[in-house]
Amino acid sequence: MIVQLFWLGIVGAVIAIGFAFFQARKVLGYSEGNDTMKKIAGAIRVGADAYLKRQYTTVIKFFVIVFVILCALAFIPILMGQDEGLVNRFAPFAFLTGGFFTGLSGYIGMKVATASNSRTAQAASESLNKGLRVSFSSGSVMGFTVAGLGLLDITIWFLLLRFVFGANDIEIGQAMVKFGLGVCFMAMFARVGGGIFTKAADVGADLVGKVEAGIPEDDPRNPAVIADNVGDNVGDVAGMGADLYEAYAHAIIATFALGVGVGYSYGGMLLPILMAAVGIIASIIGTFFVRTKEDASQKSLLKSLHRGTFLAAGISAVAALPLTWLVASLELPANANATFYEATGLPPGQIVSMMDNVWGIFGAILLGIGAGLLIGHFTEYFTSDMYKPTKELAEASETGTATVMIGGLALGMKATVGPILTVAFAAIISFLISGGFRDGDINFYAGLYGIGIAAVGMLSTLGVNLATDAFGPVADNAGGIAQMSHLPEEVRNRTDALDSLGNTTAATGKGFSIGSTSFTALALLVSYMALAGVGREELSVANPPVLIGLFIGAATAFFFAALTISAVHKAAQSVVIEVRRQFKEITGLMEGKAEPDYAKCVDLCTQGALKKMVAPSLLALVVPVGTGFLLGAAGVVGLLAGIVITGFTLAVFMMCSGGAWDNAKKYVESGKLGGKGSENHKATVIGDTVGDPFKDTAGPSFNILITLSSSVALVFVYLAEFSLIDWLLG
Amino acid sequence: MIVQLFWLGIVGAVIAIGFAFFQARKVLGYSEGNDTMKKIAGAIRVGADAYLKRQYTTVIKFFVIVFVILCALAFIPILMGQDEGLVNRFAPFAFLTGGFFTGLSGYIGMKVATASNSRTAQAASESLNKGLRVSFSSGSVMGFTVAGLGLLDITIWFLLLRFVFGANDIEIGQAMVKFGLGVCFMAMFARVGGGIFTKAADVGADLVGKVEAGIPEDDPRNPAVIADNVGDNVGDVAGMGADLYEAYAHAIIATFALGVGVGYSYGGMLLPILMAAVGIIASIIGTFFVRTKEDASQKSLLKSLHRGTFLAAGISAVAALPLTWLVASLELPANANATFYEATGLPPGQIVSMMDNVWGIFGAILLGIGAGLLIGHFTEYFTSDMYKPTKELAEASETGTATVMIGGLALGMKATVGPILTVAFAAIISFLISGGFRDGDINFYAGLYGIGIAAVGMLSTLGVNLATDAFGPVADNAGGIAQMSHLPEEVRNRTDALDSLGNTTAATGKGFSIGSTSFTALALLVSYMALAGVGREELSVANPPVLIGLFIGAATAFFFAALTISAVHKAAQSVVIEVRRQFKEITGLMEGKAEPDYAKCVDLCTQGALKKMVAPSLLALVVPVGTGFLLGAAGVVGLLAGIVITGFTLAVFMMCSGGAWDNAKKYVESGKLGGKGSENHKATVIGDTVGDPFKDTAGPSFNILITLSSSVALVFVYLAEFSLIDWLLG
């Protein structure tokens, strides 16, 4: 009976996808505006299409290589007569489906965003509320596509494994926890590649256009302007879509594994599926409450978005208790407990039932939802110019660029404390209340299940959260189109208001994904420990392989940051040189008599992104395997913990510094402290330029670094058995 | 018999102090130069004296408070009839002596440095080699004072405990590991206070003098120029002296504790003492090989310093084998093993003798020495303009300030990898070869002893290493005096060559202290685990309190960085405002007809430093105690590990970014890429200004954060027994 309820996952997914489809049709019903607008939007669309096509083509090669390796590891041992392969036999195929759905999420989001930008510009020329509705609808296509496809992918695999391959609960849990590899491998390329593209174009366009030539942002004379607008779509939309697909799917499957580990069996797996389905419905309701009045202040715009997200969170929270109770009270199939005792070797009776911890699990879901909102609040506080930190940062420009830099770095470092403590205490309280306060291994797992389900709770309303996030780049693009097609000043002002709002919600969205990832990472860590069979005693932080692993993890996170920000740095330099060249060589360009060669800049960004996205992505693949070979499973656990801790902290630091620099610049541009063109403005523009790769390339990639390295470790878990250190120790 | 050999520690200490005295007399024998030079040196001396006096007066208050708390915890339970107090009864007094000797090290170093600056300027007017000899001799006074006092403090306490209080080996080990608290509490105030002072003055002087008014560095018309030169002495000399005293003393006492833990008894304690004594003699020999020719290039200057340090390292390495063998072969007192079995409850026969691991211990010492040199090489590679990274950073100024900033941040992040891997692999190999490759708790401790002794090996040649480090600020001051007293251009060029060299060796010296600290920290962590009685199973990284502790540790390190760099930021802003005021209000100042009010700037820096040094110092005191209350001992272990890992990585990142920015600026100033006054120069000056608090305030304070938080945890270990989490769990 209980396994039939998993079909509700399909229902939830279909509702999400249907709603996304409905929103897409609504958006496409709006007018695209005049011919100039259509032409510009067309150019952006062509560029974004072309980039994503080339990116996916490159990525496919890596997918083929890894697929072949996985197949070899999975089937050669079986062909040679072994009982099982070195990796799970479903892993190669799940690797492909995960990658496919992740890429598809990004692609659909990008498609809708590039169809909505000119429509948003057109709508904004009518009213601010219309502009918000169109861009927000476009964002919600992405939000619900991601949630729908994620839920679909997981549910289908569950049903396949259960009904087609006849796997039992233990086998399903152990198989599915490894399914994240393809998801995060794809997400990594999309996030890093898109992030490099968008910031290379942005920094390149700003450094020459705004700073050297003194022409406004999004001026059609700037050869990098189309690349900049393409970047918003391939980085901030497609990259973010893939990224959040990853966070969402991973939270659910990691909780699956823990649910099985504690003996909750199908109930432990069903709860996250149903939470996701309920979250989709709550999100749909939430979207209807996002609207604004004309002439709304930034505060009231933000409030209108909060209305949608808070309402959805509230509905999910209220629904969580009956849902948890319902799932806990369902009867399991007769064989579920038997296979559990057989697999774990525990004496019957040691098992805990979900009903024992029903209040705790409910509490953990609430904590997850609350932690998400709280992290959002912290990032908002540190990055929005409505609050003191960013205002003070803008004022630091009075004593020059150096103090803006020092102030921004210190701000980001300070900003790490709130989210870290939130995650830390939400995690430990979730752990304790959902069973972890009792002695024994089983209760330890029950506590961890609480942490996993908290992540699911946090992400359950992804649909509406992502919508409030993904509308930002659409509004940004709309502003560009308004500027380039010389629409009236007020249109640009309206899209600017939406764009600035999008900056803040983007920081919040990134806080969500990194926050939930830290929970998920813990779940993956524990799954790894269980699969690798390392005892808790070996995993003492004072055990040298663990401690060394922690150190290597910290170095990996820092090196990853260095690679991604230098990639932007290098790619941007090539754009700078090209833009300077066009300004010099194309006669009549500055007078508006000749057109710049936009395609050349798009091409440079594409090349830079494709070339430079490989090293950071492979880092997450190579380091866990290498550490496993050198230090064994205990070293890998240390490594993963080190990557989580340092990666999380660096992510918050970089996203908040970058967000605050950006908004400090916008604060000055709004006329404060001398306004545009003043020395203060120049200082904050430099801050923004430094912050760009922080907040849009390196910062939001850390959560994928964390899950990708965990997934690699999980999939190649058997390889760590042949470690140098174990060989040395005999 | 073996305990009598500890008197050799006193002999070594006396030799070091005698040599320091001899060097000081030599320096004082040189001429102080003309009257102007004497007057300026006098002003610097008065400022530095006044600051240190006020700093120590402030710090004494905190010492009194902590002393009273320690006494209360130690003696009230005894007075109430308990067998022992909540802290060790010797701890309050060791807290005072540790603080006293640490402060004294800084004070003597500062005294000699302020007496040597004008003498170095005078000597440099005769020849480059003479300038080097005088400044290097002054640096070696500091180096040998630190080593001598450190060894003296520890040996005297050992002898007191053994012969006056009749303590046995176990009691001595357990008592002495807690003696570091006073040392690092003092070092923290000295490092952070001095670091804020020096950088507030430096940044303030540069921002207004160099950037706004366009007058050269060290121009006597700049009101902050004396404060800037005072800062070199109270920050880079006194602060660094206290810092390295701390690293040195802590490495030895942490190894004491491990030696006892593994049952090496007095042998385990004697070896670090003798290594330190041998290192002092090797260092004295090394100092005689530091000399240079006239017109030496920077490369050959660096080579002449390397000659001294490499030779000393070589002698120590060669002496280590016979020394280890000698100590291992000594017969222990009859009761040593008996007390060990009694204390540990092990069945007799489980003990390992030092002789079993004699080759491993020797290997660990070599690894420590080698790791120190290798870390030095890495930091040199990333921060010296003789190599590619800093050259490329300077070239990034071609595309503006933003790319200099991004490039410097990426450089520092990349630079973390080498030192981290060095420390990681030196630690694990030391662990394995010195016994850790065998099973069992005893061998685990034997392996850890290897890690501790590696730190002692690395720091054994502190005398000469610190000398190559502490001569830099003296040369910097000499340059200032040469400029202010209008000595010929060539004198300034010579002191500049020495100063630039000092920048690189300073980065190396900081690498040493953070590198050795990471080893020491591991030893302290294990001592804490043993004293707190937490089992290895509880300490699994996946155990939520441990993982949460790790997260809080990361947040602590980032927050500490934010506090220190904002402190500089704020104090510098007050200096900027004052300097601007003086330029505006004092008539005739710019024409050289009126004197600025130097004392006012010194006072502002003093106030800023004294006010802002408190919060970061108390952070390290409050967080471990608070975490203990909330999460218990397992949480504290996680916390300490988190602080080590993140603190180490941040330290290397910040020191390398800062060093590279500084030298990129010097590279441009040497005439490359447009030279002084060019746009490129401006961009690199901003980089340097941002880097100042990175490399001289926050960066070098992390190692003290690490040991201070460990020491606090160790001293207040019993408090973690009353934790909230344990109370909740019943």
Side-chain angles (χ1 to χ4, degrees), chain A residues 104-431:
Chain A
L104 186 62
S105 295
Y107 181 74
I108 292 176
M110 184 278 287
K111 271 295 185 195
V112 178
T114 54
S116 316
N117 46 15
S118 59
R119 291 178 167 90
T120 301
Q122 178 61 26
S125 72
E126 295 170 36
S127 81
L128 180 63
N129 184 40
K130 270 207 167 170
L132 174 65
R133 293 295 306 169
V134 175
S135 55
F136 183 76
S137 293
S138 157
S140 53
V141 175
M142 163 101 135
F144 288 93
T145 304
V146 165
L149 289 181
L151 193 51
L152 193 69
D153 184 14
I154 293 170
T155 316
I156 287 181
W157 266 107
F158 175 88
L159 297 171
L160 264 181
L161 291 173
R162 180 74 191 81
F163 294 113
V164 178
F165 293 97
N168 64 38
D169 54 339
I170 310 268
E171 289 163 348
I172 293 174
Q174 290 186 349
M176 286 196 70
V177 72
K178 297 178 181 172
F179 283 9
L181 182 63
V183 175
C184 33
F185 199 52
M186 183 70 220
M188 180 63 108
F189 282 109
R191 206 19 143 172
V192 173
I196 295 171
F197 187 114
T198 178
K199 290 301 125 177
D202 190 2
V203 171
D206 282 2
L207 278 183
V208 192
K210 257 166 130 172
V211 180
E212 290 179 17
I215 57 176
E217 188 150 348
D218 290 320
D219 192 289
R221 290 169 292 177
N222 192 330
V225 71
I226 294 289
D228 188 6
N229 281 285
V230 168
D232 293 339
N233 291 294
V234 301
D236 301 346
V237 177
M240 181 171 60
D243 178 0
L244 280 152
Y245 181 93
E246 187 276 322
Y248 188 74
H250 238 129
I252 297 176
I253 57 178
T255 311
F256 265 40
L258 290 170
V260 168
V262 71
Y264 290 165
S265 181
Y266 295 106
M269 294 188 255
L270 181 60
L271 184 58
I273 295 284
L274 293 188
M275 271 309 297
V278 164
I280 284 169
I281 292 162
S283 292
I284 291 176
I285 299 172
T287 56
F288 289 107
F289 288 80
V290 176
R291 50 171 40 92
T292 186
K293 288 172 299 193
E294 200 52 26
D295 301 322
S297 67
Q298 224 211 319
K299 214 165 195 161
S300 97
L301 273 173
L302 193 58
K303 225 169 139 184
S304 74
L305 291 181
H306 279 173
R307 202 164 37 230
T309 51
F310 286 6
L311 183 71
I315 295 172
S316 274
V318 169
L321 182 60
L323 210 61
T324 311
W325 188 84
L326 177 82
V327 171
S329 63
L330 289 170
E331 208 175 317
L332 295 177
N335 65 338
N337 288 345
T339 51
F340 178 75
Y341 291 123
E342 197 188 327
T344 58
L346 284 173
Q350 277 243 6
I351 200 168
V352 272
S353 87
M354 265 182 110
M355 201 45 106
D356 295 336
N357 294 319
V358 72
W359 282 100
I361 295 171
F362 169 62
I365 295 173
L366 292 191
L367 278 166
I369 294 173
L373 297 176
L374 201 58
I375 293 172
H377 173 73
F378 281 124
T379 46
E380 206 174 293
Y381 174 74
F382 278 101
T383 59
S384 159
D385 63 10
M386 290 185 289
Y387 301 99
K388 211 175 109 191
T390 301
K391 272 188 198 154
E392 278 191 355
L393 180 60
E395 282 154 16
S397 64
E398 297 274 8
T399 38
T401 310
T403 41
V404 171
M405 296 308 315
I406 297 179
L409 293 167
L411 179 150
M413 289 176 168
K414 250 178 222 160
T416 61
V417 176
I420 283 194
L421 293 184
T422 305
V423 162
F425 286 99
I428 198 157
I429 298 172
S430 299
F431 171 80

Side-chain angles (χ1 to χ4, degrees), chain B residues 191-201 564 567-568 571 605 608-609 612-613 697:
Chain B
R191 209 12 145 174
V192 173
I196 295 171
F197 187 114
T198 179
K199 290 301 125 176
T564 46
V568 172
C605 293
K612 298 280 183 183
M613 73 179 178
T697 314

Side-chain angles (χ1 to χ4, degrees), chain A residues 554-598:
Chain A
T556 306
F558 271 82
F559 191 58
F560 178 80
L563 282 179
T564 45
I565 65 178
S566 338
V568 173
H569 179 50
K570 290 275 155 67
Q573 280 183 321
S574 73
V575 176
V576 165
I577 291 164
E578 171 62 18
V579 175
R580 280 183 187 161
R581 186 194 68 77
Q582 292 199 23
F583 274 138
K584 216 171 100 191
E585 294 181 7
I586 301 179
T587 44
L589 176 58
M590 283 307 271
E591 296 75 36
K593 287 179 196 152
E595 264 212 348
D597 183 359
Y598 298 126

Side-chain angles (χ1 to χ4, degrees), chain A residues 399 437 522 541 547 558 573 649, chain B residues 399 522 541 547 558 573 649:
Chain A
T399 38
F437 68 94
L522 184 57
V541 274
L547 198 81
F558 271 82
Q573 280 183 321
T649 320
Chain B
T399 37
L522 183 56
V541 275
L547 198 81
F558 271 82
Q573 280 183 320
T649 318

Side-chain angles (χ1 to χ4, degrees), chain A residues 1 46 73 125 134 138 144 202 547 625 636 657 659 708 727:
Chain A
M1 150 64 184
V46 169
L73 290 170
S125 72
V134 175
S138 157
F144 288 93
D202 190 2
L547 198 81
V625 174
V636 174
S657 285
L708 179 52
W727 180 77

Side-chain angles (χ1 to χ4, degrees), chain A residues 203 207 212 392 395-396 398-399 401-407 409-414 416-417 420-421 423-425 427-428 431-432 436-438 441 444 448 451 518 522 525-526 529 536-548 550-552 554-556 558-559 561-563 565-566 568-570 573 576-577 580 630-631 637-638 641-642 644-646 648-650 653-654 661 685-686 689-691 693-694 725 728-729, chain B residues 203 207 212 392 395-396 398-399 401-407 409-414 416-417 420-421 423-425 427-428 431-432 436-438 441 444 448 451 518 522 525-526 529 536-548 550-552 554-556 558-559 561-563 565-566 568-570 573 576-577 580 630-631 637-638 641-642 644-646 648-650 653-654 661 685-686 689-691 693-694 725 728-729:
Chain A
V203 171
L207 278 183
E212 290 179 17
E392 278 191 355
E395 282 154 16
E398 297 274 8
T399 38
T401 310
T403 41
V404 171
M405 296 308 315
I406 297 179
L409 293 167
L411 179 150
M413 289 176 168
K414 250 178 222 160
T416 61
V417 176
I420 283 194
L421 293 184
V423 162
F425 286 99
I428 198 157
F431 171 80
L432 290 174
F437 68 94
R438 296 193 210 94
D441 269 0
F444 179 77
L448 291 171
I451 296 180
S518 54
L522 184 57
L525 196 69
V526 173
M529 285 165 49
R536 277 200 255 164
E537 193 168 327
E538 282 175 68
L539 293 177
S540 155
V541 274
N543 193 19
V546 178
L547 198 81
I548 304 313
L550 282 164
F551 268 110
I552 298 176
T556 306
F558 271 82
F559 191 58
L563 282 179
I565 65 178
S566 338
V568 173
H569 179 50
K570 290 275 155 67
Q573 280 183 321
V576 165
I577 291 164
R580 280 183 187 161
L630 280 176
L631 300 175
V637 172
V644 177
I645 291 150
T646 317
F648 179 86
T649 320
L650 276 176
F653 158 52
M654 295 179 104
W661 274 320
V685 167
I686 292 176
T689 312
V690 175
F694 265 47
I725 197 167
L728 284 174
L729 301 185
Chain B
V203 171
L207 278 183
E212 291 180 16
E392 278 190 354
E395 282 155 16
E398 298 275 9
T399 37
T401 310
T403 41
V404 171
M405 295 309 315
I406 297 178
L409 292 167
L411 179 149
M413 288 176 168
K414 251 178 223 162
T416 59
V417 177
I420 283 193
L421 293 184
V423 162
F425 286 100
I428 197 157
F431 171 81
L432 290 174
F437 68 95
R438 297 193 210 94
D441 270 2
F444 179 76
L448 291 171
I451 295 179
S518 55
L522 183 56
L525 195 69
V526 173
M529 285 163 51
R536 277 200 255 163
E537 192 167 330
E538 283 175 69
L539 294 177
S540 157
V541 275
N543 194 19
V546 178
L547 198 81
I548 304 312
L550 282 164
F551 268 109
I552 299 177
T556 306
F558 271 82
F559 191 57
L563 282 179
I565 66 178
S566 337
V568 172
H569 178 51
K570 290 277 155 66
Q573 280 183 320
V576 165
I577 291 164
R580 280 183 186 161
L630 282 175
L631 300 175
V637 172
V644 177
I645 290 149
T646 316
F648 179 86
T649 318
L650 276 177
F653 158 52
M654 296 180 104
W661 274 320
V685 166
I686 291 174
T689 311
V690 175
F694 265 47
I725 196 168
L728 283 174
L729 300 185

Side-chain angles (χ1 to χ4, degrees), chain B residues 51-52 55-56 59 63 99 102-107 183-198 231 233-243 609 613 617 696-697 701 704:
Chain B
Y51 172 71
L52 272 204
Q55 179 178 288
Y56 287 170
V59 173
F63 263 80
T102 311
L104 187 62
S105 295
Y107 182 74
V183 175
C184 33
F185 199 52
M186 182 71 219
M188 180 62 106
F189 282 109
R191 209 12 145 174
V192 173
I196 295 171
F197 187 114
T198 179
N233 291 295
V234 301
D236 301 347
V237 176
M240 180 172 61
D243 179 1
M613 73 179 178
S617 308
D696 289 324
T697 314
S701 307
I704 315 179

